[in-house]
Every structure is written in C-alpha cells, then in structure tokens.
Amino acid sequence: MAQGSSKKVITKEDWEKRLNDVKIRKEDMNKLVMNFLVTEGFVDAAEKFRKESGTEPDIDLSTITDRMAVKKAVQCGNVEDAIEKVNDLNPEILDTNPQLFFHLQQQRLIELIRNGKVEEALEFAQEELAPRGEENQSFLEELERTVALLAFEDVSNCPVGDLLDMSQRLKTASEVNAAILTSQSHEKDPKLPSLLKMLVWAQNQLDEKAIYPRIKDLSTAKLEDPSAS
Amino acid sequence: MPSASPSTSSGRPADLVSRLASPDRGARLRALRELKNQIIGNRTKKLAYLKLGAVPAVAAVLADASDDGGGDGDGSCCCRRHDLLVQSAAALGSFACGVDAGVRAVVDAGALPWLRRLLVSPDEKVVDSGARSLKMIYQSKLAPKYDFLDHQNLEFLLSLLNSKNDNVTGLGASIITHSCQTSAEQWALYEAGVFQKLVDLIGGSVSQRDASLESLTAIIRNNHEVTPKILEFENGRALNLIIKFTIDKSPRTRLLACACLIAVSKTSSRYVEGIELESKLIYRLLELLEDPGQVGDEASFALSSLIEEKEDLQKLAFEANAINKLCFHLQNGLSCPKRLQGILLALANICSKLEICRSKLLDLQAFDLVSDALRHDCTDIRVAACICLRSLSRSVKNLSAGYFMNETVIIPLLQLLHDPSISVQLAALGAISNIVIDFTRRKSNFIHCGGVKLLAELSMAMDPVVRSHSLRALKNLTFLADRKCKEVVLSEITASSLASLIRDPESAVQEQALALVRNLVDGCVQSVDYAFTENGIILDAIGRQLQYASKAEIGIQGMYALSNIASGSKVQKDAVMDQLFQHGGMNTQPFIMRFLHSNDNQLRTASIWVLINLTTSYCPGAAGRVLKLRNAGIILQLKSMTNDPCLDVKVVQKIYHLNVH
C-alpha cells in the first residue's frame, strides 16, 4: 500500500485512459524511425521502410551507403581504406577536422601494432603521428599514450592496452560517422534518444508529485502497476 | 625529429611528383590520388610537396584534362577525364586549405580560371570539387581580390548564389566575405540584390547559413547607407532572423550572428536601441567564451569590437561579470595563443575608460598574469599585454600609489623597447607613457632600470611614430619631475639632439619635443637654465621652429615652453625677446603676432602668457621689452583682444593688463 505520502495516486486504468486521449500522428513516428535508420546508417532497412511506408528520408540514401562503407572500414581496422573513402566523399572533412584526422592516424598505428608490425609502426609513428603533435600541441598527451604501446612487450596487458580494444575502433568509427553527417548538413545524432531522455526526465519530475504507472523498461515501454512495489 | 620528406609505399615523393607528368593518363590519375590522400589533413606533407613543385604539376594536369575535348571514343576515357578533373581540383583545394604558401602556389600556377570552369560542368561531382577548392582559396587573404564593380563579375557571383548546389552558394558567400571592402562595393552588391539572396540562404542548411551570416556582415560593415536598407527590408525580417540565430544550437552560428549584429550596432545604433540588443550580445559572447575551440578563441575579439570606445557598453559588460570570466580564463592557463591574445585585448578594452573595471581586475590578482604575458613568445600577445597595461595604468589612483613603478613591470617593458617588432615597441611605449606619470616620485626606479637611456635612444629611431611616442613618454616622465630626474633626461637625450628633434621633419615629433622642453623648463626657476645648455641651442631651435610652424599644436607647445622660459631672469627674458624678433627677416611678421590672430583658442592664450611673463612690471628690463613690443604693434593687438570670444583668452588678457599697469 502507498505510504502516508501526499502524492496523488493514479491507477493504471486511469492512466491508460488518459494516454488514449493523446493523439500521435503516424507520419511523425515514421519520420522518427526513418531518421534513426538514416543516422545510424541502416541503408537497406531505410530503403525498405521508405518503400513500405512511403516516408521520404531527409537525406539522399546513396550517401548513406558511402558513409557506411567508411564506418565499416574503420570497424574492421582498414583505416587507410577508410581515409581514402572519406577523401573521395568529401576532401574537406579531414582537412578541416584535425582531431578526427589525428584519431584516424592513431588508429592506423594501433592496427599496425596489433598485427605485430613493429618496425613499420615505429616508422609510421615517427613520420605520420609525430608531426601531428608538432602541428597541434593539444594532441601531445594522446600521442604519448599511443606511442607508449610500442614500449611494451605484452601490449594487451599494458596500462594503455585499452587502445587495442574493439571499443577504440568503434569510438573512431563513430567520430568519422558524425563528421560525415555534419559535412552533409545533417544532424549527427538521431532524434529518438532525445525523446526517450525527455521521457525519463519527465517521469523523474512527476515522481516527486504523483504515483503513477511508470515505464521502467524503455525497450518494452511496459507500464508498471503503481500498486506494486 | 622526424624528417619532413614523406616516403610512400610506391617510392619517393619526388617520384610521385614526376609521375604527375606521365604521358599515361591512368598513371597520372593514380599519382594524383596518392598525392591527394597523402596531403589531406597533413600540413607537414603539404609544405614538403609544395617545395617539390607539386602544385604547378597538378595545375598542369587540371589544365590538360579541362582542355581535352575529344578522346579515344571509349567510355573509359571520359570517365578518366572526369576523375582527373575531380582529383586534381581536390588536391589543389587541399594545398590551399589553411596553408598560405599553398594558396600562393595555386594562384601563381594560374589554376584559378581552370577551377572556375569546373563550376559550369554538367557533372555534379566536378562542380562540387571545383567549388570546394575555390572556397578554400577564398578563405585566405592571399586569394586575388574579386572586383564586384565589374558587371560580368557581379553576374557570375549572382549565378553562384542562385545555384542549387550547397558548395557553389557557399563559394559565392566566401567570395563576398573575402573581397567586399569598400562602400562602393557594398552598395553595388546591395543594388544587385545580393543581400536578399543571402537572407534567403540564412534559412538554408547549416553551412549556407553560416556562410551567409559572414557575408552579410561584410556588406553591412561601416556602411550607413546599405545597413538601414537591409534592416528595414520586409519590416525587419532580416534583423529578426539574425537575432534568432544568436541562440542557435551551433556555437559557430551564434558567434557569426553576434558578429553580424555587432556590425549593425556599430553602423546604425538606432536599430539596437530599445531592444537591449547590446546587453544580450554581451551575455551571448561571454557564454561563447566557454567554447573550447576556435569559436571560444574568436568570441573575445568580438567582445572587444563591441565594447571598444563605448563606456556605456563597458559598464554593461562589467555588470555582466565579464572581468571575472575573462580573468578566470586567463588564470586557467591558455594553450592557444590566439585565445590569450583575445582575452588580453578584451580586458584592455573593458578597462580602457572605467576605474571600477581596472580596480576589479587588480582585486582579482590578475595583474601578474598580464605582466607575465609581456615575455610571451608570440608577438601579438606581447602587444596585447602592453595595450592591457596601458589601459590599467590609466588608473590615477594606482599611479598615485606607485603600483606600476616596480621592477616586475618596468624591466620586461623596457626589454620590449628592443623588440624586433615595431608594433611591440609602440605598444610598450604606450604603456610606459602612462606609467611614468608616477606621482609618488619613484621615478628613480625607472631611471635605474635604464629607462631614460632607452627612451632617448628610441627618440632617434628611424620610424617617426617611434620617435614621437618615445618623446611623449619622456615628456610624461618629466612632468612635475625633480631636478635629478630632469638632469638625467637632458644628459641622456642631449641638448643638441633635442634641438634637432624640435626641427624634425615630422610634425608629431616636433610637437612632442617642444612639449618635453616645456616640461623640462617648468617648475622652479633653475629649470629655465636647461633651455640655455650648449649655448642656448634649444631656445634657438624653438624660435626657428615657431617661425615656420603651420600647425596650431606646435605653436601651443612652443609658446608654453617660451612662457616658462620667460619666467626666468632678465637675461633669459631678453633672450626670449630675441627669439620673437630675430627670425624671419625684415618683412615677415613676428610669429607671435600671427599666433595672436590665430583661430585656435589655446594658441592665443599661450601667446598672451608669453607676453605676461615678458612684461611683468617688477622685473628689470620690463620697460624696454614693453617698448619693443609696442613698436611692433603687439600691445595694440593685445588691447584689441578685450572682447575675444574665448573666455580663457579674455581672462589672460585681463591678467596681462593687471601685470603691466
């Protein structure tokens, strides 16, 4: 039973009735889905969704294919290939994003080390990475961390070993993806997460004033019974 | 350190450059792609390849591919031509991106006309490539100036702005931002309807919006005719749009919108009154300071531009806690030189007129950070630190307390007088000029640090501005100074040098030299002797200069110097009389007569003071001097000035009469 609080209690029945009264347009939902698919780069899904729902994407789907090719290349560790593809897509991107370029070069070094090509890695670090540090002081710290990989025999167990994780590749891939989207004057983040954040925040605010059926699991959007707990 | 010469998997860089001239198109294309992929993002490689002559080689590929009309007739050739155009344009654009030497090389290689041709290609990718490269070039000051007053050029520009292609419209906007400078150009662009297009583009994509905001600023800047028209357009739609973007999500957009409004405010302040726009702008800019990137760097410059010379805005900024915020950034160790320069200049501007601002900065213990910046490696920062010090040293309260007259400030400032950059020297002289007006009589500190010697050296510098500024500093130093100080000044600068500076070719130098003499001979009666060192060379120089003086300012300082000298002994008064009459010859009017007739109030006043001191009745020889003056008609002239329109002159004239009778 509810503890002696002054909060208003709303039953599940009541709540569901109120929810039913709120009208959401199908087109808006379709747009949200399309926006998500496009931003995340699910080209085939976007194409199919467009055919089945008639929703027009706000970006040319062919550019998504190019963008996804770049993202995939990075995720597979083919950084040189990714760089070439980005430059074909838009040569301005890496020229005007020194931080991104540095991270891609950094990833190249990491891949060389991962494949045990120590000699090549050393040369690469000297020829390609060190000049980035010279050109821009803010990269020096990260540069030091990366080069430290070369100092350790057992790279997977060293203090900077996290650089070899898959997560590092994904981070770089995500950075490239965002830069390409921005260059295409597209929002780099999908709208859906913002909506969910808004929901969580609104629920937190409402928690202070009322007891009502909350959504605990965002993936199922199941309404929790207020009388439980 | 790593060598600058890049090595590639397919050979040495010089080979790569030579492969660009290969007869085989396929080989040329491969070489181009390799080069492009090596240089993009890589400033070091760009510079290295520039030295190897890569740009002319790439330009040649572009020219060749553009020229080529026919071909072997098979599809692959056409495709290859398209690729060659795209890749060569991209490579040239990359060389020009952020690298001045690259822009110069591209322009010198004659690549611009070829790039322009790409804009009319039926192939969208070729157009994109050409537009992007040209945009890079026009972002540099080294790009050739675009002549908007030429009709064909204007038509071409309009066609760019009308394009459906984002990159092409962006190029049009870049050209305007780069080249629009004079009011004639701004007017021509307005008449051609350019600004309407720009206002439409502001509602477009992010890049169109940012580019258009920048261009609009260029058209509005300092133009009192165009700006009102743009703002009145469609009931202020443009203005409202720009204001809306000051709260956009993108920091860069916010900054550009603010910059545009600052240009509006400086040109037509009536659009800004009543909507508290300036106050909002100050808050936005202070908030933009928090941005860690380039936007944050530039925000402080925008703030300086907004508040400079405007006391009311400086007060608003103070109330918005600007000084705390700026000092906070200063204290947090700035790695970026541009940012540090901006913050120092912003502080200089905000403290330029208001004592509350200066006090606040000093209270926050930020002074040391400013004086530390005097030793910074970067020239611009040293200049900014000096300018900031100049503003701070306008604080009479702190000057009186001798706050600035200590070694931690003086020694680095004096070192800057030797700086290789003239702008640093001038900025340091500006700060020193204020600091030496120290009221605690601690000027010996300055002298001990070798300050007088340095200033005297600089008074003979090649640059006339340096000469006049250093004399000004010496003048301020000798203001109400004691004998010891004056003696040091005169011995360092020497009477003969001072005499020659009084006769300097530049009037600004003459004026400061005379003002220095005025201060030297001011004060106690013994000071008058200084004018007579080395056989009266200084006094003689004054007389000569006044005979030929065309500017009132020179006359004023000279006459006040003479009036001080004329307060001395009989011999000294007679010497002044000689100066009044001996120059110019028989048929020329004595300069004092000319000055008494001058339109300048101060000059008439100063001249009467000379006469007062010469004719003081209780001084020996007064009668003789009065007679001589009467014979020259000067007394008569004086009498006629009873009803002089200027109050100061009337008062002084009365004093003369009291004196004589």
Side-chain angles (χ1 to χ4, degrees), chain B residues 21-152:
Chain B
S22 163
D24 174 40
R25 289 183 125 191
R28 257 185 284 166
L29 186 58
R30 280 190 297 276
L32 259 183
R33 283 186 60 99
E34 249 183 79
L35 175 64
K36 179 196 82 169
N37 284 321
Q38 278 194 38
I39 62 173
I40 288 182
N42 197 322
R43 189 189 164 83
T44 311
K45 287 229 172 108
K46 286 182 203 188
L47 293 171
Y49 275 108
L50 276 171
K51 288 203 182 89
L52 291 170
V55 169
V58 176
V61 175
L62 174 61
D64 181 73
S66 304
D67 252 346
D68 193 44
D72 310 324
D74 67 52
S76 70
C77 175
C78 196
C79 212
R80 204 158 269 170
R81 179 170 168 258
H82 149 110
D83 284 339
L84 282 168
L85 291 173
V86 169
Q87 299 299 324
S88 54
L92 289 173
S94 184
F95 271 116
C97 182
V99 180
D100 278 344
V103 177
R104 208 176 292 126
V106 172
V107 173
D108 289 346
L112 254 58
W114 296 116
L115 287 170
R116 251 189 281 250
R117 269 177 64 163
L118 299 181
L119 298 175
V120 298
S121 163
D123 187 324
E124 200 67 10
K125 283 204 123 175
V126 171
V127 172
D128 277 335
S129 204
R132 284 190 183 123
S133 301
L134 285 168
K135 203 165 40 149
M136 288 301 178
I137 293 169
Y138 277 102
Q139 271 163 9
S140 161
K141 287 193 184 65
L142 296 177
K145 180 153 163 57
Y146 196 85
D147 183 10
F148 299 108
L149 301 176
D150 173 289
H151 183 72
Q152 270 186 325

Side-chain angles (χ1 to χ4, degrees), chain B residues 138 146 148 157 161 169-181 189 194-195 198 211 214-219:
Chain B
Y138 277 102
Y146 196 85
F148 299 108
L157 181 67
L161 292 173
T169 54
L171 171 61
S174 293
I175 292 177
I176 297 174
T177 305
H178 173 268
S179 291
C180 180
Q181 280 150 11
L189 286 170
V194 163
F195 89 90
L198 290 176
E214 254 188 308
S215 310
L216 260 180
T217 307
I219 300 183

Side-chain angles (χ1 to χ4, degrees), chain A residues 87-88 95 126 128 132 135, chain B residues 37 41-42 44-46 94:
Chain A
N87 288 341
D88 279 334
D95 249 337
Q126 228 187 0
E128 302 289 339
R132 304 287 87 71
E135 289 163 7
Chain B
N37 284 321
N42 197 322
T44 311
K45 287 229 172 108
K46 286 182 203 188
S94 184

Side-chain angles (χ1 to χ4, degrees), chain B residues 336-385:
Chain B
C336 173
K338 188 98 186 156
R339 187 173 285 245
L340 179 53
Q341 182 196 6
I343 304 256
L344 284 168
L345 284 175
L347 284 169
N349 271 302
I350 199 176
C351 294
S352 60
K353 294 181 192 281
L354 293 170
E355 184 60 27
I356 37 170
C357 299
R358 298 174 201 136
S359 295
K360 185 82 187 188
L361 191 152
L362 296 175
D363 282 344
L364 290 171
Q365 318 268 326
F367 184 74
D368 287 337
L369 293 164
V370 177
S371 54
D372 282 346
L374 290 171
R375 283 183 247 255
H376 201 277
D377 290 332
C378 174
T379 307
D380 286 334
I381 291 179
R382 295 198 297 281
V383 172

